[in-house]
Amino acid sequence: MRSRTKGMWWGTAIEAPDPGALARFYSELLGWTIGHEEPGTTILAAPEGSIYVVFQQAAGYQAPVWPPVDGQQRPMMHFDFQVGDLDSAVAEAVALGASVATYQPQDNVRVLFDPAGHPFCLCRDVG
């Protein structure tokens, strides 16, 4: 995009029934700040600058199903977060409102659901 200039932000938008609550969950989980909030939209700012995650209100929101099931809402995207200690990272996320998925595909990864039902992964580096 040629019209972009240095310092312009970029990010992704995530639908949620309560964008402020979901942004605050990820703010606590990641230690990032809320950069902007208005009715229906809350923006989470990465500490490195110009990277944002936007949480937008969605009427009729349906949480995706994990693992995917034909004919049901599939996950469109998910976050992966590398962690040093998988058990303590899972405990911290659960204390903030996440839940652990029943199906776990790998020993060094834990699939969790955020408070709006989006799956995300905590990954321990085995390398």
Side-chain angles (χ1 to χ4, degrees):
M1 292 179 280
R2 295 171 190 210
S3 66
R4 287 187 49 80
T5 61
K6 184 177 173 102
M8 287 184 164
W9 63 270
W10 66 270
T12 188
I14 301 184
E15 294 185 346
D18 185 342
L22 191 57
R24 285 185 285 283
F25 167 80
Y26 281 106
S27 174
E28 289 293 321
L29 184 69
L30 301 173
W32 293 10
T33 61
I34 301 295
H36 176 79
E37 191 162 10
E38 62 187 58
T41 302
T42 303
I43 299 173
L44 187 62
E48 290 81 21
S50 305
I51 302 169
Y52 297 88
V53 179
V54 180
F55 296 89
Q56 295 179 325
Q57 191 167 19
Y61 172 79
Q62 292 182 348
V65 176
W66 172 260
V69 175
D70 285 344
Q72 295 191 23
Q73 178 64 40
R74 297 182 57 86
M76 301 290 289
M77 56 78 65
H78 70 272
F79 290 118
D80 285 341
F81 302 112
Q82 185 179 23
V83 298
D85 182 297
L86 198 53
D87 292 335
S88 66
V90 168
E92 181 181 355
V94 168
L96 293 170
S99 57
V100 179
T102 302
Y103 176 66
Q104 298 293 329
Q106 298 168 279
D107 290 338
N108 65 316
V109 175
R110 289 297 170 275
V111 179
L112 292 94
F113 300 107
D114 68 24
H118 301 102
F120 68 96
C121 296
L122 300 177
C123 311
R124 187 186 74 244
D125 184 10
V126 294

